[in-house]
Amino acid sequence: MRLLSVALTLAFLNTVGQALALERGNSGPQVTSVQRCLQRLGYYNGPINGNFGPLTENAVKRFQQAKKIPAIGQVGPQTQRALQAACQSRQSKSSSSNVLKVGSRGAAVTQLQQSLRTLGYYKGPITGYFGQETEQAVIRFQQSKKLQADGIAGTNTLQVIRTNLASRPNNNSVGGGTDKYPNALNEGDAGPQVLQLQRNLAQLGYFQANPTGNFGSVTKDAVVRFQRDYGLTANGIVDGQTWTAISTNANYANNNNSACSPTSGFICLGENSPRVVAVQQSLRQQGFFNREITGYYGTETRDAVAQFQQTAGLNPTGFVDFQTWQALGLTNNNSTGGENPNIENRYVVIVPIRDANTLEQVRQFVPQAFAVKSRLGDYVNAGAFRDRPQAERRSSQLRDRGFDARVEYF
């Protein structure tokens, strides 16, 4: 069935060059074929819907750049021939069903990413999707082990990865004591390692209590949730594999979230707000997020955002800045009643930023407010409206609460 799908994709690609160039705004089976080919090559991770939108356009541009073709985002005869050749080559190299390659998804990819991160070859988020970042990590590992560096994790590569993991010193030793699991942390243990475990789980959004250094039922439940999310045995016992997965993910979150400042209007790990609901809904609609819509910005949402950013050609930071917010198709109206996001809203309620607390104070009343830098002075955008009376009402409500709010037309 897969070979038939590839054959159909290549057949459709053959017809692209006989027609006008495909470009943004087009739709149909030819666009579907282009999306499938780009996905197989690792350039496209959006939905396969036959609509040539901004994600498809960005993927085409990245492919064109890689192939030294003018990056105009349109699929003309030259790009069509390059796509066909690349997809045929990819198919011939990965005809086996027992390999992980660009476009693969699932628990096996999650395990591969965790293993490569443990071995020091993968620095990206654990997403369960095999994209270009994972492919490059596989190539680096293959090169270091004198394997064929094709970026495909086949039987031989996976076996060498397992062998290297097994040979790591103290691979299963993270704790101590004379309990049922002396080489692991588990319920009943206590000490500085448990305290670090709790802090790491809190950093990742799994542990909501105060870290005490005592491994109780709350800590066990947090470990189980983490293990379930990352494809590990969900038994609440922190063996070497679970410890490594938690600590490396916490380090990644800490390093990347250090650049995320809530006072700048960014959505960072730990935020719980209507803005996060809007982000999760948009990610789900575009096929990047299949979890429950909670409004909490934890590691699952962060990884989905990073995956979206990479697909959209943005820096995959894992947090939502204004550029990512716009790329998700969101406006300042997504969580606000009485405002129509489908109509251009030019009347903006602004509050000049007087100190570092201004944004958070405004968000007490307008949760989706965000900061904007301007040559005339930084301000908080507290809502954009089509009609001035609506904007004046919002401005009046904020002035009643002591804010220097005003309405500007943009």
Side-chain angles (χ1 to χ4, degrees):
M1 187 68 183
R2 176 175 174 78
L3 290 174
L4 176 60
S5 174
V6 173
L8 289 173
T9 296
L10 295 174
F12 271 120
L13 282 174
N14 271 326
T15 68
V16 175
Q18 301 168 11
L20 296 175
L22 293 177
E23 59 186 4
R24 188 167 178 172
N26 292 156
S27 61
Q30 292 179 341
V31 177
T32 300
S33 299
V34 169
Q35 290 173 330
R36 284 177 177 159
C37 183
L38 288 167
Q39 183 185 70
R40 191 168 295 112
L41 297 172
Y43 293 95
Y44 181 72
N45 191 28
I48 305 297
N49 55 17
N51 297 320
F52 200 122
L55 293 182
T56 306
E57 183 180 57
N58 287 335
V60 171
K61 287 180 179 178
R62 290 197 299 277
F63 174 80
Q64 290 170 327
Q65 289 170 343
K67 299 300 180 181
K68 310 300 183 187
I69 300 171
I72 59 175
Q74 298 177 354
V75 182
Q78 186 180 7
T79 301
Q80 172 261 320
R81 288 192 295 270
L83 281 170
Q84 185 178 9
C87 276
Q88 285 176 331
S89 175
R90 173 67 63 179
Q91 175 61 20
S92 64
K93 288 181 180 179
S94 57
S95 57
S96 172
S97 60
N98 297 320
V99 300
L100 299 176
K101 57 190 181 299
V102 170
S104 298
R105 298 175 183 268
V109 177
T110 298
Q111 182 62 55
L112 172 66
Q113 291 171 330
Q114 290 170 343
S115 298
L116 289 170
R117 178 179 285 184
T118 299
L119 295 171
Y121 293 92
Y122 181 70
K123 305 298 183 184
I126 306 296
T127 62
Y129 174 76
F130 197 123
Q132 287 182 293
E133 197 168 1
T134 306
E135 182 183 46
Q136 291 304 311
V138 171
I139 289 174
R140 287 193 293 272
F141 175 81
Q142 291 169 326
Q143 289 173 335
S144 72
K145 302 303 175 184
K146 308 296 190 239
L147 302 172
Q148 180 183 355
D150 56 5
I152 298 171
T155 303
N156 190 30
T157 297
L158 292 173
Q159 180 57 50
V160 176
I161 289 175
R162 285 191 289 269
T163 300
N164 277 260
L165 285 172
S167 64
R168 285 171 61 84
N170 301 320
N171 190 52
N172 293 313
S173 179
V174 300
T178 56
D179 56 18
K180 186 176 180 180
Y181 303 98
N183 293 320
L185 294 177
N186 59 98
E187 194 168 9
D189 286 343
Q193 287 186 309
V194 176
L195 183 63
Q196 185 60 52
L197 169 69
Q198 292 170 330
R199 286 172 175 166
N200 287 343
L201 288 168
Q203 174 73 30
L204 296 171
Y206 290 91
F207 188 75
Q208 307 297 329
N210 282 329
T212 62
N214 297 314
F215 199 126
S217 59
V218 175
T219 305
K220 180 179 179 180
D221 289 343
V223 171
V224 168
R225 289 197 302 276
F226 175 88
Q227 290 171 323
R228 189 178 295 122
D229 288 343
Y230 284 83
L232 304 172
T233 302
N235 55 12
I237 299 168
V238 184
D239 57 8
Q241 187 180 24
T242 298
W243 174 270
T244 299
I246 291 173
S247 59
T248 53
N249 275 279
N251 287 337
Y252 174 83
N254 183 60
N255 292 338
N256 283 273
N257 215 47
S258 61
C260 187
S261 171
T263 60
S264 67
F266 297 167
I267 301 179
C268 310
L269 275 173
E271 178 170 330
N272 196 333
S273 71
R275 298 195 308 163
V276 180
V277 171
V279 168
Q280 291 172 330
Q281 289 173 337
S282 179
L283 289 168
R284 172 178 284 184
Q285 290 169 0
Q286 299 186 57
F288 293 96
F289 188 72
N290 59 3
R291 302 288 184 174
E292 182 183 357
I293 304 295
T294 62
Y296 178 74
Y297 201 89
T299 55
E300 293 170 346
T301 307
R302 177 208 66 194
D303 290 347
V305 167
Q307 190 176 346
F308 168 81
Q309 289 169 323
Q310 190 169 27
T311 300
L314 303 174
N315 183 24
T317 61
F319 58 80
V320 181
D321 54 14
F322 188 58
Q323 187 178 18
T324 302
W325 178 267
Q326 289 183 312
L328 283 166
L330 301 173
T331 69
N332 199 40
N333 313 315
N334 287 77
S335 303
T336 336
E339 302 173 32
N340 188 344
N342 298 317
I343 301 175
E344 189 175 18
N345 300 304
R346 304 298 297 273
Y347 294 99
V348 179
V349 179
I350 70 170
V351 178
I353 295 179
R354 306 299 186 193
D355 56 49
N357 298 319
T358 302
L359 178 61
E360 290 306 311
Q361 291 169 346
V362 173
R363 280 186 180 165
Q364 298 299 314
F365 306 99
V366 186
Q368 73 279 7
F370 60 93
V372 177
K373 292 187 178 294
S374 167
R375 289 179 298 174
L376 301 178
D378 299 346
Y379 63 89
V380 173
N381 182 322
F385 300 82
R386 180 190 182 192
D387 300 318
R388 189 176 188 95
Q390 290 180 304
E392 291 291 359
R393 280 196 293 273
R394 170 67 60 79
S395 178
S396 177
Q397 291 168 349
L398 289 172
R399 285 199 301 272
D400 289 344
R401 290 169 171 80
F403 294 102
D404 180 19
R406 66 195 71 166
V407 176
E408 296 287 349
Y409 181 80
F410 289 88

